[in-house]
């Protein structure tokens, strides 16, 4: 069943129902019965399962929001994060008849004639559309990405209801204005993802500004691309799960390439691939990485990049006033926040975060204590959370960073963080070519 065939009122009621159930469960879990830790775990597991099932069924912007939330699973209650991770798996594909109807509306007879064959069984399916293998008349192997019917029209209604769902859950310690700013950023990115003409532009941007040895972008077939269809050359590779079983030397090369590419994209290209689902990457035995799905690419203003550099330099130097000023310029701390009250927060998070990243020549991403200690610090400073605000412009950059970290961890990465920091934050290119 297509998204379009689900009436807007039905979608709204499904999301509203999830919010009402969350509120009811929040009240019940506060009642004095049983072990508190076990009760909270059961509460968030139930809430997470409800959210995952509801958002996954609706696809579109609703599922995309759940996927975005799951990228921050390490900051959520573990039981909730575990359930939301399910949204990173492929969605159930639509029948080929629905997909062919989209292609018939998008392509002329002459465009259809350029295709020799298309596989009716989907290669992959996600929140916005699904992909089918095909072969052009000239023999080239391609993939055809087709947008689900009605997905673009459902964006605004879905995001409105998801905002209510977040408010009902009382999960985020931020004010309404900050939530509105993030939701506006999410809306812009999701609307871009539903227009494959913009994804084609993103592909050109990344190939031009974020090209690196070892990074492979598919080649487009522009004469078959449009708002609802994207046709790309097929670039094969192995899954992250397979690559995680390769020898340490090869895994190290893949990890270095990924880390180098992410930092190069932000600091030099100022265009970040912001959909770090492992299924959007493929890995090759020659050490190269194939990048798929350019629908969500966040382009960052030069002044934001430079302020980020100043913030990181201040953190490394333990210049707390400099860090606070840069964070305020980014909009990450409330204007009325007291510096002295936040100083212990700055000290602890830098000590557990950046100081550890730079403590040795190579940082071991597989060290479980890194995330565990940051989580514990977050719980200790929870009362200070309202003094900070999400930086809406960097919401999708942080999504990319979070997703890439978990892929690097799966590869058992030991990253040359000192060299990377010197290259991208200090502008020192020495040593980067030896990676």
């Amino acid at each position: 069943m297509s998204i379009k065939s689900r009436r807007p009122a039905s979608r709204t009621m499904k999301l509203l129902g999830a919010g009402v159930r969350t509120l009811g469960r929040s009240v019940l879990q506060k009642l004095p019965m049983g072990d508190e830790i076990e009760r909270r775990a059961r509460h968030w597991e139930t809430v997470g399962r409800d959210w995952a099932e509801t958002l996954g069924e609706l696809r579109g912007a609703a599922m995309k929001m759940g996927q975005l939330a799951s990228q921050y699973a390490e900051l959520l209650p573990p039981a909730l994060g575990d359930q939301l991770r399910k949204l990173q798996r492929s969605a159930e594909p639509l029948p080929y008849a629905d997909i062919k109807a989209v292609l018939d509306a998008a392509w002329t007879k002459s465009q259809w004639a350029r295709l020799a064959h298309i596989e009716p069984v989907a290669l992959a399916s996600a929140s916005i559309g699904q992909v089918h293998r095909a072969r052009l008349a000239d023999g080239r192997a391609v993939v055809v990405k087709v947008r689900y019917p009605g997905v673009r029209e459902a964006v605004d209604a879905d995001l409105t209801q998801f905002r209510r769902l977040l408010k009902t859950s009382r999960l985020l310690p931020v004010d309404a204005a900050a939530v509105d700013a993030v939701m506006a950023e999410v809306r812009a990115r999701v609307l871009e993802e539903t227009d494959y003409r913009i994804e084609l532009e993103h592909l050109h941007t990344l190939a031009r500004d974020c090209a690196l040895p070892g990074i492979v972008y598919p080649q487009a077939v522009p004469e078959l691309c449009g708002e609802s269809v994207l046709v790309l050359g097929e670039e094969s590779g192995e899954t992250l799960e397979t690559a995680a079983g390769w020898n340490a030397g090869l895994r190290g090369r893949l990890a270095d390439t990924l880390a180098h590419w992410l930092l190069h994209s932000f600091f030099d290209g100022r265009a970040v691939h912001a959909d770090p689902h492992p299924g959007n990457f493929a890995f090759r035995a020659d050490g190269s990485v194939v990048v798929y799905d350019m629908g969500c690419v966040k382009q960052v203003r030069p002044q934001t990049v430079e302020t980020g550099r100043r913030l990181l330099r201040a953190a490394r130097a333990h210049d707390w006033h400099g860090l606070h000023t840069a964070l305020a310029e980014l909009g990450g701390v409330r204007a009325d926040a007291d510096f002295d009250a936040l100083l212990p927060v700055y000290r602890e998070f830098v000590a557990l975060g950046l100081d550890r990243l730079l403590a040795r020549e190579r940082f071991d991403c597989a060290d479980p204590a890194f995330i565990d200690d940051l989580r514990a610090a977050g719980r200790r400073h929870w009362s200070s959370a309202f003094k900070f605000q999400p930086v809406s412009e960097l919401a999708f950059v942080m999504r990319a960073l979070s997703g890439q970290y978990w892929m690097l961890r799966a590869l058992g990465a030991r990253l040359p963080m000192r060299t990377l920091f010197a290259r991208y934050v200090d502008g020192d290119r020495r040593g980067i070519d030896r990676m």
Side-chain angles (χ1 to χ4, degrees):
M1 182 182 294
S2 70
I3 286 180
K4 190 173 183 179
S5 65
R6 295 190 179 96
R7 293 177 299 174
S10 175
R11 297 177 64 81
T12 296
M13 289 306 296
K14 285 181 180 292
L15 285 166
L16 183 60
V20 170
R21 291 190 295 273
T22 297
L23 180 60
R25 291 176 182 125
S26 296
V27 172
L28 289 175
Q29 70 97 14
K30 292 178 181 177
L31 296 179
M33 52 184 179
D35 180 79
E36 181 180 357
I37 295 177
E38 182 181 351
R39 188 171 70 249
R40 286 181 178 274
R42 286 199 307 268
H43 164 72
W44 286 117
E45 181 180 8
T46 304
V47 168
R49 185 183 305 114
D50 192 5
W51 285 20
E53 291 175 356
T54 300
L55 300 177
E57 178 187 352
L58 293 177
R59 290 194 179 91
M63 184 177 179
K64 182 63 66 175
M65 284 302 301
Q67 290 175 341
L68 179 60
S70 74
Q71 295 293 338
Y72 297 93
E74 68 272 20
L75 302 178
L76 300 174
L80 174 61
D82 289 344
Q83 292 297 320
L84 289 181
R85 283 194 183 97
K86 295 178 181 178
L87 290 169
Q88 293 295 345
R89 302 170 187 168
S90 295
E92 187 69 23
L94 292 185
Y96 179 67
D98 292 347
I99 296 304
K100 188 175 185 302
V102 176
L103 293 174
D104 284 338
W107 284 347
T108 64
K109 288 183 179 180
S110 62
Q111 287 174 306
W112 265 113
R114 295 183 62 88
L115 211 69
H117 173 72
I118 182 169
E119 292 287 341
V121 177
L123 172 65
S125 54
S127 57
I128 303 297
Q130 64 191 52
V131 177
H132 292 256
R133 277 197 174 103
R135 186 168 297 279
L136 298 183
D138 63 11
R140 281 182 289 171
V142 297
V143 292
V144 180
K145 183 176 179 180
V146 185
R147 186 183 70 194
Y148 294 134
V151 70
R152 186 173 178 84
E153 293 80 356
V155 168
D156 284 333
D158 283 359
L159 293 182
T160 296
Q161 293 306 319
F162 192 84
R163 187 190 186 287
R164 291 175 181 169
L165 182 58
L166 287 178
K167 181 179 179 181
T168 302
S169 72
R170 300 173 183 173
L171 183 62
L172 300 178
V174 294
D175 59 28
V179 172
D180 287 342
V182 172
M183 293 302 290
E185 176 71 11
V186 169
R187 179 180 183 274
R189 300 287 77 73
V190 173
L191 283 175
E192 284 185 354
E193 285 195 72
T194 63
D195 188 338
Y196 290 167
R197 296 168 300 185
I198 295 177
E199 181 168 353
L200 183 59
E201 294 175 5
H202 286 164
L203 174 58
H204 294 326
T205 296
L206 291 178
R208 182 189 66 238
D209 299 335
C210 305
L212 277 181
I215 294 293
V216 179
Y217 299 110
Q219 294 289 316
V221 184
E223 58 269 27
L224 293 179
C225 297
E227 181 183 354
S228 59
V229 182
L230 186 69
V231 180
L232 305 172
E234 184 175 3
E235 294 286 353
S236 61
E238 301 296 336
T239 65
L240 177 63
E241 183 179 10
T242 297
W246 290 345
N247 67 71
L250 178 53
R251 286 187 285 109
R253 288 169 58 198
L254 293 168
D256 284 357
T257 295
L258 270 177
H260 186 9
W261 172 68
L262 176 62
L263 295 174
H264 169 70
S265 296
F266 178 74
F267 287 106
D268 295 344
R270 299 195 298 275
V272 176
H273 180 290
D275 194 356
H277 184 294
N280 288 338
F281 298 85
F283 303 86
R284 293 176 171 173
D286 64 359
S288 60
V289 179
V290 183
V291 183
Y292 304 128
D293 197 342
M294 270 58 70
C296 188
V297 171
K298 175 59 184 176
Q299 299 190 47
V300 188
R301 296 177 300 159
Q303 58 265 42
T304 299
V305 173
E306 290 310 310
T307 304
R309 278 197 174 101
R310 285 198 290 109
L311 186 151
L312 289 170
R313 289 170 184 159
R316 179 184 55 187
H318 294 179
D319 173 8
W320 308 119
H321 282 285
L323 185 156
H324 181 77
T325 299
L327 188 59
E329 289 180 21
L330 289 171
V333 65
R334 295 171 61 96
D336 60 353
D338 178 55
F339 169 77
D340 291 332
L342 294 180
L343 183 56
V345 182
Y346 294 148
R347 288 183 183 277
E348 181 159 18
F349 275 96
V350 169
L352 295 176
L354 187 62
D355 285 356
R356 274 183 169 175
L357 289 172
L358 301 178
R360 295 179 177 83
E361 189 60 38
R362 283 188 174 263
F363 170 74
D364 185 1
C365 291
D367 180 5
F370 182 68
I371 289 297
D372 290 346
D373 290 348
L374 286 172
R375 281 175 175 164
R379 291 192 292 270
R380 284 193 295 275
H381 294 289
W382 185 252
S383 61
S384 300
F386 282 97
K387 299 171 185 176
F388 296 94
Q389 300 176 134
V391 181
S392 57
E393 186 180 3
L394 296 180
F396 281 84
V397 175
M398 297 307 295
R399 179 194 188 196
L401 182 62
S402 172
Q404 291 280 4
Y405 168 78
W406 289 106
M407 285 200 292
L408 292 167
R409 184 164 169 169
L411 290 170
R414 299 185 69 253
L415 297 178
M417 289 306 304
R418 290 179 180 175
T419 300
L420 290 167
F421 195 97
R423 162 62 181 89
Y424 291 106
V425 180
D426 296 330
D428 182 359
R429 293 179 175 272
R430 291 175 298 177
I432 200 70
D433 293 334
R434 295 195 298 273
M435 286 181 54

